Amino acid sequence: MLCALLIAPKAHAREWTIVGARALGMGGANVAVANDSTASYWNPAAYAFFTSKEGGDYGKRKFSGSLDLGFGAQVHEDLGDQLNQIFQYNFDNLSGGTISAADVTDFLGLIDSLKTFDENESRALTILGNGGFSVQFTRFGIGVYGFSDVSAKGDLDLVNISPVTSGLTDVNIISQFATTSNFNSGISVPSGDYYLDSATKQSLVSSISAMSGWDSTTATNFVQAVDFGLSEAQAAGYDVPAVDTITGSVESVAELASIAQTGGSIADNESSLLFRGMLVTEVPLTYGYQVTDDFAIGGNVKYMQARVYNAAVPIFNTDFSEALSAATDSYMDSSNFGIDLGALYRLGDDLRFALVGRNLNSPAFDMEPLFAGDATELKEKFQARAGVAYKPVSFVTLAADIDLTQNETTVSDDYKSQNIAIGAEVSLLKILQLRAGAYKNIAQDDIGLVYTAGLGVNFWLFNVDFGASLSSDTTAIDDSDIPQEVKAELAISTLF
C-alpha cells in the first residue's frame, strides 16, 4: 500500500516537521535513526525491534518516554524588505483626500511598493511550533503531539488608490490621476519643467498614453503633477529617488490605473495581511511488527483535532495589534483520524534503511472561507520520507533523509517544501552527545542551506537534549539583518 502511494503523481502535504532535539541537531535526518518513543512520529517500524534479541540501538527496550518542545520561524522571499518599504511611508499624509505636492513621491512609492509586493504571493512569514509527550512499552506506544503552522502573507488592494476623499467609490482612477490639483492640496499644478527635463517627461507621456484608458492629455497632466511634486519634495529636504527609479514608479502606478480603471480613495485602501494555518493535536496509537530478524513494519492510527485559522488583518487604518488579536479568534475546530506506515531494514547494527508515509488518508479539516471561492477545508495531505543511517564506529552515527513528496505549505499554492537532510552524532563515553547537520528545501531557492547543531547529556535515568538551526541566508527587518529561518528544540527523555 505504501509503495502504491509513493508512485502516485504529485502527492502533496504540509511541510515535514522536525520533532525532537536530537533530530533537529542532526539536520532532521531521523527516519532511520529514531530509537526511542519519538519513533512513533519518525518511523513506527522501529517499535518492532525494541524487543529483539540482538540488542544494539533498538533491542531489549521495555520502556521509553520523551517530552519535547520546539519553535521556529521562516521569512520567505524578501518579505522583510517589502514590509520595510511599505511602512516607511506616512499613510496619514496620503489619506486625507488631496495630497500635498511634497508627498507625491511617497504616494507613488507606496502604490508602487504595494504592486511589487503583490507580484509574488510567496512572500510570507511562517511561524512553526511543536510539542509532545510519547511513551513506548515494548512494541506498543501512545503519545500526544501538537503542531502549529501559520503563515502571514499580503493581500494587496490595487484598486482603492486614488487621491480623493474617503468614501468615494467607482471613481475613474485615470481621471483623478490627471487632475493635477489632487496632487497639490487642491491647487492646480503650474506648467513648466521642474525636477524632470522635458525629454524625460515626453518619454513618460508617450509610454503612459499608450496604456489602455490613457491619452496624451491625461498622461501629460499626470506627469506634470509628478514633476512639480518631485521638485517640492526636494525643496522640503526629502530624499527624492533617482530619475530612473522615479520614472519606473510613475509608469508602474499608471499601469495599475489602466488595469483597475475604477476604484476608490487610497484612504479606504484595504490591503491586508492574510493569516492561514492550523494547530493540530495528534494522539497516535503505535505498533511495530518484526517480519524477519532484520526487517520490520509499523504504523499509527491517530485521532486528530485541528483548529484552522483563516483571517485578514488590515495594514492601514487600524490598530494592528487589536486587529491581530481579533484574527486569532477567527478559526474553526474539527476532528478526523490519520494513518501512518513505516518500514525499516537493518544490516546488523551498523546500516539501516527506512521509509515512512504520514497521513496516508489525507485527513481534511473545516476552514472558514475568507473570500468567495475559498476552500472550505484544509488537508493534511499524504507525505513520504526515506532515510539511511550508518555507524562507521560504535560511537558515531551518520544519517541522511529526503522527502519523497513535494509537500504543500501554508505559504501559498505555489510554494512547496521538499527537504534533503544530513546529520551526524558523536557519543562520548555514553554521557555526552555532540550533533551537527544541515538541511535544504530543494523545491524552492528563497531560503538557502540551514545549518543545525545539538547537544545531549545523559543523567543516568534521563537525557536532556537541545537542538537549534540557523539559515545561511538573511533578510532585513527594521534595518537589521536576521536569519531567514531559525528553529530550536528542547527535550527530556528516559530509556529502560
Side-chain angles (χ1 to χ4, degrees):
M1 180 178 180
L2 179 58
C3 292
L5 286 168
L6 285 176
I7 62 175
K10 297 183 179 179
H12 299 301
R14 179 173 58 91
E15 182 175 13
W16 186 284
T17 302
I18 299 177
V19 171
R22 184 190 187 197
L24 181 58
M26 297 181 67
N30 209 47
V31 169
V33 174
N35 62 348
D36 59 11
S37 63
T38 61
S40 62
Y41 174 83
W42 284 100
N43 190 347
Y47 274 61
F49 289 140
F50 287 153
T51 56
S52 65
K53 301 176 182 178
E54 289 75 11
D57 277 0
Y58 295 106
K60 300 180 181 179
R61 181 155 296 151
K62 296 181 178 179
F63 171 83
S64 65
S66 180
L67 176 66
D68 67 270
L69 182 66
F71 173 82
Q74 301 168 333
V75 182
H76 299 284
E77 303 291 349
D78 57 347
L79 174 73
D81 293 334
Q82 292 301 320
L83 287 177
N84 283 340
Q85 188 70 25
I86 290 173
F87 291 135
Q88 72 172 320
Y89 302 112
N90 189 333
F91 185 75
D92 291 338
N93 290 347
L94 306 176
S95 57
T98 61
I99 62 177
S100 71
D103 288 324
V104 168
T105 53
D106 279 3
F107 176 83
L108 294 173
L110 175 60
I111 296 178
D112 189 33
S113 295
L114 294 177
K115 179 177 181 292
T116 301
F117 197 156
D118 189 64
E119 289 170 351
N120 185 348
E121 68 170 3
S122 293
R123 291 185 174 108
L125 170 67
T126 301
I127 301 298
L128 304 168
N130 64 275
F133 175 72
S134 57
V135 292
Q136 165 259 325
F137 302 94
T138 63
R139 296 184 180 185
F140 299 88
I142 188 171
V144 178
Y145 293 103
F147 305 96
S148 66
D149 185 334
V150 180
S151 290
K153 65 177 184 177
D155 179 52
L156 289 309
D157 179 359
L158 304 181
V159 174
N160 294 314
I161 57 175
S162 295
V164 296
T165 304
S166 174
L168 294 178
T169 59
D170 296 324
V171 300
N172 187 302
I173 300 175
I174 293 176
S175 176
Q176 297 303 323
F177 279 12
T179 303
T180 63
S181 60
N182 285 339
F183 297 98
N184 190 30
S185 302
I187 304 171
S188 295
V189 168
S191 60
D193 296 332
Y194 295 91
Y195 185 80
L196 304 174
D197 60 45
S198 58
T200 301
K201 292 167 66 175
Q202 186 54 49
S203 176
L204 276 173
V205 169
S206 177
S207 174
I208 294 171
S209 60
M211 300 177 186
S212 175
W214 289 91
D215 56 32
S216 179
T217 300
T218 53
T220 298
N221 288 346
F222 178 48
V223 170
Q224 185 63 28
V226 170
D227 183 31
F228 181 73
L230 291 172
S231 68
E232 291 294 294
Q234 188 177 51
Y238 298 160
D239 291 332
V240 178
V243 171
D244 288 347
T245 301
I246 201 67
T247 54
S249 294
V250 172
E251 290 177 335
S252 181
V253 172
E255 182 183 16
L256 280 183
S258 175
I259 294 171
Q261 294 288 326
T262 61
S265 169
I266 191 172
D268 301 320
N269 191 278
E270 297 178 349
S271 293
S272 303
L273 286 178
L274 301 183
F275 289 83
R276 176 175 292 183
M278 62 196 311
L279 277 68
V280 183
T281 300
E282 298 183 359
V283 182
L285 298 176
T286 307
Y287 176 71
Y289 177 73
Q290 190 169 352
V291 180
T292 69
D293 286 345
D294 296 314
F295 178 66
I297 58 175
N300 296 319
V301 175
K302 56 191 182 184
Y303 170 77
M304 304 174 73
Q305 176 73 35
R307 174 167 292 183
V308 178
Y309 291 89
N310 193 26
V313 177
I315 295 176
F316 309 120
N317 289 330
T318 187
D319 183 312
F320 191 80
S321 61
E322 290 184 5
L324 182 59
S325 177
T328 60
D329 293 330
S330 179
Y331 59 81
M332 293 189 72
D333 291 329
S334 58
S335 60
N336 210 323
F337 75 96
I339 299 173
D340 306 330
L341 287 179
L344 184 62
Y345 180 76
R346 63 181 181 178
L347 294 173
D349 202 39
D350 298 332
L351 182 61
R352 301 189 289 270
F353 300 93
L355 180 66
V356 65
R358 285 180 50 78
N359 298 317
L360 273 65
N361 58 323
S362 297
F365 302 93
D366 295 338
M367 180 173 70
E368 183 72 33
L370 190 58
F371 305 110
D374 265 5
T376 59
E377 62 181 25
L378 200 60
K379 284 189 175 182
E380 285 275 79
K381 293 187 179 178
F382 163 72
Q383 54 187 201
R385 193 173 177 104
V388 59
Y390 175 60
K391 299 182 70 173
V393 291
S394 62
F395 59 90
V396 174
T397 301
L398 307 177
D401 279 12
I402 184 171
D403 286 330
L404 301 179
T405 49
Q406 273 199 355
N407 302 324
E408 288 182 348
T409 69
T410 56
V411 174
S412 72
D413 292 338
D414 296 327
Y415 193 96
K416 308 298 182 183
S417 171
Q418 186 176 16
N419 283 320
I420 184 169
I422 58 172
E425 178 184 70
V426 178
S427 179
L428 303 177
L429 303 176
K430 296 184 179 181
I431 297 175
L432 181 66
Q433 294 82 43
L434 304 178
R435 305 176 182 115
Y439 60 89
K440 173 72 172 69
N441 182 2
I442 58 177
Q444 306 289 157
D445 57 8
D446 63 321
I447 297 178
L449 191 64
V450 181
Y451 300 102
T452 73
L455 176 70
V457 182
N458 185 348
F459 292 98
W460 185 49
L461 291 178
F462 62 92
N463 300 329
V464 176
D465 296 278
F466 177 76
S469 67
L470 200 67
S471 65
S472 56
D473 291 347
T474 62
T475 188
I477 294 181
D478 290 335
D479 297 324
S480 297
D481 287 337
I482 64 170
Q484 282 194 265
E485 179 167 328
V486 61
K487 293 178 182 177
E489 289 262 358
L490 178 66
I492 300 176
S493 59
T494 185
L495 305 172
F496 290 96

